[in-house]
Amino acid sequence: MWITAGIIRRASSEEQVKMKEPKDIINRRRFLRGCIRGGFLAGLAGLTGGVTGRAKSQNTVWQIDPEICIACGNCATHCVLEESAVKCVHAYAMCGYCDLCTGYLMPEAKQLDTGAENELCPNGAIKRTFVEDPYYEYTIDESLCIGCGKCVKGCNAFGNGSLFLQVRHDRCLNCNECSIAAACPSGAFKRVDISEPYIPKKVGHA
Amino acid sequence: MKRIGLLIIPAVFFLFLSEPVSGVERFPPPDFESGYELPQTTYAPARRGVYEYIDVAVLLCALSLSSYLVLVKRDRRAIFVLTVFSLLYFGFWRKGCVCAIGATQNIVLAFFDNSYAVPFAVVLFFLLPLVFTLFFGRTFCAAVCPLGAIQDLVVLKPTAVPLWLESALRLLAYLYLGIAVLLAATGSAFIICRYDPFVSFFRLTGNLNILIAGGCLLVIGVFIGRPYCRFLCPYGVILRQLSRVSQWRVKITPDECINCRLCEDSCPFGAINKSTADWPRRDYNKSKTRLAILIILLPVLAVSGAFATAATSGWLSRAHPTVRLADRIYLEQSGNVKDTTDASLAFRGTGKPIDQLYAQAANIQDKTGFGSLVLGAFMGLLVGLKLIKHSVRRHRTDYEADRAGCLACGRCFQYCPREHVRLKKIKEAIQGNK
């Protein structure tokens, strides 16, 4: 048992005088160390081989699957960034251009206009522009959007669902563990390949 | 043209259904008559993958340079400059993510979960420091790791920590690594990333509690050198073991130790082993008995450790969202709670069978239970081994940097008179006394 041997082992008088070990001499300790090092290296190589066998050469980024997202509002508050990396995105092709837009207006809005008291968005990030009777275009000002998803919820509930949340990759830090993903109640966050970093909503009409 | 249907939508529509109704064509997109063109939705491009490889290249260069500066050049000032560079690049520029410490979890998850593909850059971030440590000692800790760097800069008034306390506190790091591996293996959470104390500083924003914890660690770090590295860092635990068998290592003296004791208190991390005096005979006999008892005690410690952690496995398994969800659904089904949560509503919205959820949760609980048993046994064994280590005395004739604990910062170099001879700052006069 070499642990006990460690106690008994006393340096020989020769060793005490000459403290430096010559480099070309292989003693027991150095040999053992070399063997263990070789073992570690082999282990690391094996681990890497096993793990990278399936590894993608490409990196991955976080993204929200809009089909699973329930627009709970965690995106606005759980991102490590002060202003969340998640923003609302508008798929214009799906939009009904409604006058009474349930993603834009408060549920009991008195008037269908741009009055702040009628707007659902807490930050006034959605711009409503008249196109032609009776259609209105809704555009999201990303610099104002905080990713709370209130408009998404409204649009999903009674509209076409053309508003949805996405991680904007010019802002996202791509944390190893996404804080929002950890707090996501529906498991809508997933890692996607960097070559296709967004999951756009499919255009509904066939 | 005006859609009357729109106006008779119930005014109470704030009672939203939570089901993810998407792509429902309630209002067909209009045919515009005014020549209006649909705007294109713009998406900001993702950070290109090639940058990840630039990071890996910088890591490789920094590791090589650090090893060269520590082992060959023996220049503390240059090591310091590299430390500052690493802090700026890996810390403040790359926002501390991904780091080698956190990459451990990706590797573990990839090892246990076949469906998880770990990016190659992350594998390299995990692997390179380990390989360098096997050859050159912990030069990664010295000047490359941004978490080490930020602490290294605040070491102003280091005080010595007693050996027993240092050893006991280090158990925390082993426990942290154990739990992190367990939770990563079950796919529950990446706790090393979640509780990274300094990443909030690098991002200049983050969770307030973590920010406070990081601030506290930095304040402690003024008096106790690098507390996170020594007592908490899970990756440091791995590096310690590899550093024990490294091919080359930090030497305090450039050629030979003259036992002048000048370096004795130079290490702020308590990583210098003093040369030992001869051992009295009666101590020797007493230690032999103690060692025998400890070796017999090892299995007992392991089993009691396993029992201790078996009790916590339920708590640990709740780190997995599926287990928490199953718990919640069970409470709702059995009528113990009246309200619902976002998660339970989202789950019910998917229409998946509840039994399937229960089965998944039970599976995760089983795995966590087994893992926590192994972890407990390991921790018990570790306590035993640590006790054994402290009852074994090794004969040492030189002042040496501890193979495992030395962070290769190079602070001790300048304390050695032989170093001054090497740098030709003083003449060989000291040699004459010998």
Side-chain angles (χ1 to χ4, degrees):
Chain A
M1 178 160 276
W2 68 273
I3 301 174
T4 31
I7 301 189
I8 298 158
R9 183 180 174 272
R10 300 244 166 162
S12 63
S13 56
E14 187 196 351
E15 226 176 339
Q16 283 187 357
V17 175
K18 199 164 183 245
M19 284 161 292
K20 268 182 74 175
E21 293 165 345
K23 274 184 185 159
D24 48 341
I25 290 182
I26 293 183
N27 61 22
R28 185 192 61 195
R29 190 164 287 175
R30 191 174 287 173
F31 175 71
L32 270 176
R33 205 165 268 155
C35 290
I36 298 172
R37 183 165 57 242
F40 271 133
L41 273 175
L44 281 178
L47 184 69
T48 318
V51 164
T52 52
R54 313 182 286 271
K56 292 175 185 170
S57 60
Q58 284 278 34
N59 210 340
T60 52
V61 287
W62 290 105
Q63 195 48 272
I64 301 170
D65 189 336
E67 305 296 331
I68 302 175
C69 173
I70 59 162
C72 63
N74 281 355
C75 290
T77 48
H78 282 77
C79 185
V80 294
L81 295 169
E82 208 160 326
E83 184 193 336
S84 177
V86 173
K87 303 262 175 193
C88 182
V89 172
H90 195 189
Y92 293 95
M94 287 176 73
C95 183
Y97 286 81
C98 311
D99 184 8
L100 193 147
C101 171
T102 54
Y104 178 77
L105 293 161
M106 289 291 275
E108 293 177 46
K110 291 273 183 296
Q111 284 169 310
L112 309 186
D113 63 12
T114 55
E117 73 278 13
N118 300 327
E119 281 187 39
L120 187 58
C121 179
N123 236 20
I126 307 181
K127 296 277 169 288
R128 170 180 155 113
T129 337
F130 176 73
V131 181
E132 61 180 62
D133 192 54
Y135 301 127
Y136 288 86
E137 184 199 78
Y138 298 94
T139 332
I140 293 148
D141 184 348
E142 270 196 19
S143 61
L144 292 177
C145 177
I146 55 167
C148 67
K150 282 194 166 69
C151 58
V152 177
K153 211 166 184 174
C155 182
N156 272 342
F158 296 101
N160 282 359
S162 60
L163 294 168
F164 59 103
L165 293 172
Q166 287 283 280
V167 176
R168 303 302 295 211
H169 293 299
D170 49 343
R171 303 188 45 77
C172 178
L173 297 175
N174 200 12
C175 301
N176 201 16
E177 184 188 66
C178 173
S179 299
I180 315 176
C184 180
S186 59
F189 267 77
K190 56 182 182 185
R191 278 199 168 273
V192 297
D193 206 281
I194 202 165
S195 55
E196 275 183 51
Y198 292 93
I199 310 176
K201 242 181 164 172
K202 306 274 187 319
V203 179
H205 51 96
Chain B
M1 279 297 274
K2 205 144 196 150
R3 280 184 237 146
I4 297 147
L6 276 179
L7 300 171
I8 38 178
I9 282 174
V12 284
F13 78 71
F14 220 131
L15 298 167
F16 294 138
L17 303 166
S18 286
E19 284 90 337
V21 193
S22 58
V24 183
E25 186 102 327
R26 295 192 177 100
F27 312 106
D31 299 316
F32 294 105
E33 288 160 7
S34 59
Y36 168 81
E37 277 182 33
L38 281 186
Q40 279 297 309
T41 311
T42 51
Y43 293 103
R47 188 178 186 256
R48 295 231 311 281
V50 64
Y51 286 103
E52 308 297 327
Y53 291 98
I54 293 176
D55 291 343
V56 172
V58 174
L59 175 72
L60 186 63
C61 293
L63 279 170
S64 313
L65 188 60
S66 172
S67 304
Y68 169 75
L69 291 176
V70 170
L71 297 180
V72 183
K73 203 87 196 307
R74 296 171 60 85
D75 186 348
R76 167 68 195 156
R77 198 170 294 173
I79 296 168
F80 178 80
V81 172
L82 184 61
T83 307
V84 173
F85 166 78
S86 298
L87 179 61
L88 292 177
Y89 185 83
F90 294 112
F92 289 100
W93 171 245
R94 285 297 299 118
K95 312 281 185 206
C97 207
V98 59
C99 75
I101 306 173
T104 314
Q105 303 163 114
N106 300 55
I107 303 293
V108 170
L109 178 58
F111 189 77
F112 285 95
D113 180 1
N114 281 331
S115 62
Y116 176 74
V118 55
F120 198 54
V122 174
V123 175
L124 289 175
F125 255 84
F126 172 75
L127 197 68
L128 283 176
L130 297 185
V131 173
F132 268 79
T133 304
L134 270 179
F135 285 99
F136 309 110
R138 297 172 69 175
T139 50
F140 170 73
C141 302
V144 185
C145 177
L147 280 79
I150 193 170
Q151 294 174 85
D152 206 69
L153 298 188
V154 298
V155 180
L156 297 175
K157 278 213 165 298
T159 42
V161 179
L163 190 63
W164 63 268
L165 185 60
E166 169 121 22
S167 211
L169 283 175
R170 201 177 302 129
L171 283 172
L172 286 176
Y174 285 92
L175 189 63
Y176 194 9
L177 175 70
I179 295 177
V181 166
L182 176 58
L183 293 186
T186 53
S188 305
F190 280 6
I191 57 165
I192 299 177
C193 301
R194 195 174 295 177
Y195 301 114
D196 186 326
F198 301 117
V199 82
S200 314
F201 291 99
F202 300 148
R203 293 171 182 148
L204 302 174
T205 168
N207 183 310
L208 181 66
N209 293 335
I210 304 286
L211 204 65
I212 292 170
C216 290
L217 272 177
L218 284 184
V219 172
I220 295 171
V222 174
F223 306 103
I224 295 167
R226 293 216 199 182
Y228 183 80
C229 306
R230 280 156 78 191
F231 309 128
L232 286 171
C233 182
Y235 195 61
V237 168
I238 307 172
L239 293 179
R240 282 180 70 82
Q241 313 314 323
L242 299 190
S243 178
R244 284 182 209 279
V245 293
S246 68
Q247 177 116 40
W248 297 280
R249 60 164 166 160
V250 170
K251 291 213 167 99
I252 301 171
T253 171
D255 35 37
E256 60 177 327
C257 178
I258 53 174
N259 274 295
C260 65
R261 298 183 55 193
L262 283 172
C263 65
E264 206 170 44
D265 300 320
S266 67
C267 183
F269 315 120
I272 291 180
N273 291 327
K274 300 179 170 75
S275 67
T276 52
D278 268 347
W279 206 357
R281 192 75 200 166
R282 55 170 202 284
D283 273 18
Y284 171 65
N285 283 336
K286 217 195 283 173
S287 295
K288 209 157 71 170
T289 328
R290 199 176 144 196
L291 180 68
I293 293 171
L294 282 174
I295 291 175
I296 296 166
L297 211 64
L298 262 186
V300 181
L301 281 169
V303 170
S304 47
F307 269 110
T309 48
T312 66
S313 87
W315 173 74
L316 275 176
S317 67
R318 281 185 62 85
H320 199 291
T322 307
V323 176
R324 285 201 302 272
L325 178 62
D327 248 18
R328 180 73 203 181
I329 295 283
Y330 177 77
L331 283 178
E332 286 176 14
Q333 290 296 104
S334 60
N336 285 334
V337 288
K338 291 281 179 285
D339 55 338
T340 53
T341 60
D342 281 342
S344 67
L345 274 179
F347 171 75
R348 289 174 196 279
T350 58
K352 284 181 192 150
I354 290 176
D355 288 341
Q356 191 189 331
L357 176 75
Y358 287 164
Q360 279 174 354
N363 182 26
I364 293 161
Q365 275 176 326
D366 287 348
K367 280 185 192 161
T368 316
F370 176 72
S372 60
L373 272 184
V374 175
L375 172 63
F378 168 74
M379 287 306 293
L381 213 59
L382 193 73
V383 172
L385 288 175
K386 268 188 181 298
L387 289 173
I388 285 175
K389 194 185 137 199
H390 287 298
S391 52
V392 174
R393 248 170 94 165
R394 294 266 289 272
H395 190 83
R396 202 176 290 108
T397 52
D398 293 0
Y399 277 78
E400 287 175 333
D402 184 59
R403 270 190 172 269
C406 175
L407 296 172
C409 69
R411 282 188 176 82
C412 53
F413 296 157
Q414 284 298 318
Y415 285 82
C416 183
R418 297 296 304 164
E419 177 75 3
H420 289 263
V421 172
R422 182 182 79 98
L423 296 172
K424 303 208 167 54
K425 283 182 182 164
I426 54 171
K427 293 211 176 93
E428 288 271 339
I430 293 163
Q431 184 77 357
N433 294 340
K434 210 177 151 192

